[in-house]
Amino acid sequence: AFCKNEKINSWLYEFMFAVNMFGAIMAFIEPSGINHGILTLTLHAYIWHMLLIFIGLYLFMSKRACMDKGSYKKAITVYLISCGVAQGFNLIFGDKINCFYISPYVQSPLAVFKNIYASCGWFANMVLLILALTIASATVYYIGYFIRIKKYKTA
């Protein structure tokens, strides 16, 4: 909201549409990562993820995201940079946090990935989680793109 650089904004919009929105949808499908023992923390997590879905849909509907086939590269670049920053925080703060569920110190609470973490270790968990999210968010992005193309052809 505070960035006036449209180029930077376009990269962030693609990321928020494809990656954030998909992650937020998945948080409701498999809510182990957002259900906490503290009510206010759980409410915050639910509201936060609802806002991410709303923002993603808003960016799509307002034609700020998902306007061309090649822009998914922007989304995934921002995601990978964010993963690097998140892992930096994980390393600095040790077992106190688990940003993006890729910490080497805290086991993933996510279904399937907690088993991968337990049996194969944090590195395999991190690589497979990032790869899975990359593939899944690409699917979301290109479904949105083809919906947009179909809409333009019929309009």
Side-chain angles (χ1 to χ4, degrees):
F2 302 110
C3 181
K4 301 302 177 200
N5 185 321
E6 285 305 313
K7 185 175 180 181
I8 292 172
N9 283 343
S10 73
W11 287 65
L12 296 174
Y13 293 162
E14 301 297 351
F15 168 74
M16 289 187 284
F17 168 69
V19 181
N20 275 357
M21 189 173 73
F22 172 77
I25 291 167
M26 286 309 298
F28 289 110
I29 292 171
E30 201 289 286
S32 62
I34 60 174
N35 289 329
H36 304 282
I38 302 168
L39 178 62
T40 54
L41 192 55
T42 300
L43 285 173
H44 172 269
Y46 273 79
I47 292 167
W48 176 257
H49 288 87
M50 283 187 264
L51 284 170
L52 292 178
I53 294 169
F54 172 78
I55 290 167
L57 291 173
Y58 170 76
L59 291 170
F60 179 77
M61 300 302 264
S62 66
K63 299 179 182 170
R64 291 186 171 124
C66 197
M67 290 302 291
D68 64 80
K69 202 184 313 186
S71 288
Y72 178 71
K73 292 175 195 169
K74 295 176 184 179
I76 206 60
T77 301
V78 172
Y79 173 60
L80 293 174
I81 291 168
S82 298
C83 285
V85 171
Q87 193 63 295
F89 282 126
N90 289 334
L91 294 171
I92 291 167
F93 294 105
D95 63 355
K96 305 285 186 263
I97 62 171
N98 190 4
C99 295
F100 288 24
Y101 305 113
I102 58 173
S103 173
Y105 307 115
V106 181
Q107 184 169 343
S108 176
L110 303 175
V112 178
F113 293 100
K114 65 183 168 189
N115 296 331
I116 293 169
Y117 192 107
S119 62
C120 301
W122 75 270
F123 187 77
N125 173 71
M126 178 185 70
V127 170
L128 292 174
L129 182 59
I130 290 170
L131 183 62
L133 206 140
T134 299
I135 292 167
S137 63
T139 303
V140 167
Y141 187 88
Y142 290 111
I143 287 171
Y145 177 72
F146 289 114
I147 288 171
R148 189 175 305 289
I149 294 299
K150 181 107 172 138
K151 185 178 178 182
Y152 282 142
K153 285 185 179 179
T154 59

